[in-house]
Amino acid sequence: MSQVILNFESSDGTMLSATGVPCLIGRSPSCAVRVSSPEVSRRHAVILRDGRDWWLVDCGSRGGTWLNNTRIGNAVKLVHGDFIGVGLVSLRFLPGSDAGGAAGGRDPAIETTRPGEAEWLVTSETAVLWVDDRGAILGLTPTARLWLSAFFDGFGDRLPACLMDWVQADSPSRVPYERKVGEERLRVNACEDPQGGRMLVLSRLKPAFGVEALRRMGLSKAEALLVPWLIRGKRNEEMAMIVGISPKTVEKQVASILSKLKVETRTAAAWSIIELTGAHW
């Protein structure tokens, strides 16, 4: 299994490196990036990877976590060259190539969707919490508490029984836990915590190809309704049957989609939409 190498350049020019995600930043000796400063919490912030995206999450630190001179709430996307502020220390984020793999690869433990899944989803935000081996919650961000309350009735100071059963199963980090409410899903990945217990990574997912998002790309409502089936490689006749219009109308609408996206083939249109919406599969 390949692991990505994360490099950091501190404000005094010191270079730090860590391998793999989640990457904990803090004062504790068990953190992948240790910052020995009284202003830094023992477990200050964590860097996560979700499909193509990097996320920076504050772990409920005393002094807060900063991204490019702006204090973050719970989770923000992180890109190459960003400056992470913890305490009085600034760290420039410089992700490298996957160890044993190509640059920009994915860490299987933090995938957004399972291979072969029919639905295309996009991550709206990420949050974290920590639990001990008995399911007691040791710490969590405000967003994690909000989501658990929304997706699990009667959520308190312990993990819901169904989620705890999953945590205690063999290799839980390889098979994400999912819970769906309406069109949104909560996906949970489990990672061993170097300080004991487990860290749970919560990702809130929503359909990537919602009509409003596609209309902002310049597509009509009728064209937007065809996109999920175009992405799946359905033929015009199949799409006509699914949507309830004639094959000739589908042909005209697909031609319009290609024209608006400035591409010549259906495959190129599909990949263009995937890139523009940030969808994962």
Side-chain angles (χ1 to χ4, degrees):
M1 180 186 299
S2 64
Q3 287 188 310
V4 73
I5 300 172
L6 303 182
N7 299 308
F8 303 86
E9 182 181 5
S10 69
S11 47
D12 64 3
T14 302
M15 295 299 299
L16 305 171
S17 294
T19 302
V21 286
C23 176
L24 281 167
I25 302 172
R27 199 175 73 250
S28 170
S30 63
C31 287
V33 178
R34 187 183 182 194
V35 181
S36 300
S37 173
E39 297 85 7
V40 176
S41 298
R42 287 179 57 81
R43 190 159 37 191
H44 198 104
V46 62
I47 294 173
L48 306 169
R49 194 178 189 183
D50 193 354
R52 289 175 292 183
D53 297 324
W54 294 101
W55 293 84
L56 175 65
V57 184
D58 180 73
C59 298
S61 63
R62 294 188 305 274
T65 301
W66 301 72
L67 178 65
N68 300 327
N69 297 320
T70 300
R71 185 168 180 168
I72 69 174
N74 297 304
V76 293
K77 286 186 179 180
L78 189 62
V79 299
H80 188 285
D82 275 344
F83 288 91
I84 301 168
V86 291
L88 302 178
V89 176
S90 176
L91 300 171
R92 189 174 180 224
F93 179 61
L94 303 168
S97 301
D98 284 7
R106 301 181 177 186
D107 188 303
I110 314 292
E111 283 291 354
T112 307
T113 57
R114 287 190 289 270
E117 185 169 7
E119 295 187 55
W120 296 71
L121 304 166
V122 62
T123 305
S124 58
E125 201 177 356
T126 301
V128 294
L129 71 149
W130 292 266
V131 297
D132 64 17
D133 293 333
R134 297 182 302 278
I137 295 175
L138 305 175
L140 76 171
T141 61
T143 297
R145 181 179 296 280
L146 179 66
W147 291 353
L148 289 171
S149 298
F151 281 84
F152 298 93
D153 294 333
F155 168 70
D157 58 358
R158 303 184 66 83
L159 282 184
C162 55
L163 191 52
M164 190 59 205
D165 289 343
W166 170 80
V167 169
Q168 293 178 333
D170 292 335
S171 303
S173 63
R174 297 182 183 177
V175 181
Y177 179 93
E178 275 192 7
R179 192 172 184 89
K180 186 174 181 180
V181 174
E183 289 191 346
E184 293 201 354
R185 299 186 189 190
L186 185 69
R187 173 159 294 173
V188 185
N189 285 276
C191 311
E192 293 291 343
D193 188 336
Q195 295 183 346
R198 290 187 182 275
M199 180 171 74
L200 303 187
V201 181
L202 310 181
S203 297
R204 196 160 184 171
L205 310 175
K206 59 184 178 181
F209 305 131
V211 171
E212 291 306 314
L214 293 170
R215 294 197 70 177
R216 287 194 292 270
M217 293 168 52
L219 303 185
S220 69
K221 181 178 180 179
E223 292 164 353
L225 293 174
L226 293 180
V227 164
W229 310 111
L230 179 67
I231 296 291
R232 293 175 172 89
K234 297 293 185 182
R235 295 179 291 107
N236 287 355
E237 294 78 7
E238 293 174 306
M239 287 193 286
M241 186 176 298
I242 293 169
V243 180
I245 56 179
S246 71
K248 192 171 185 63
T249 301
V250 170
E251 183 179 356
K252 291 180 179 179
Q253 291 176 349
V254 169
S256 178
I257 293 172
L258 269 58
S259 176
K260 290 178 178 179
L261 295 175
K262 297 180 173 59
V263 296
E264 297 181 356
T265 68
R266 295 160 63 104
T267 300
W271 282 111
S272 179
I273 293 168
I274 290 168
E275 290 298 324
L276 290 171
T277 58
H280 305 312
W281 71 93

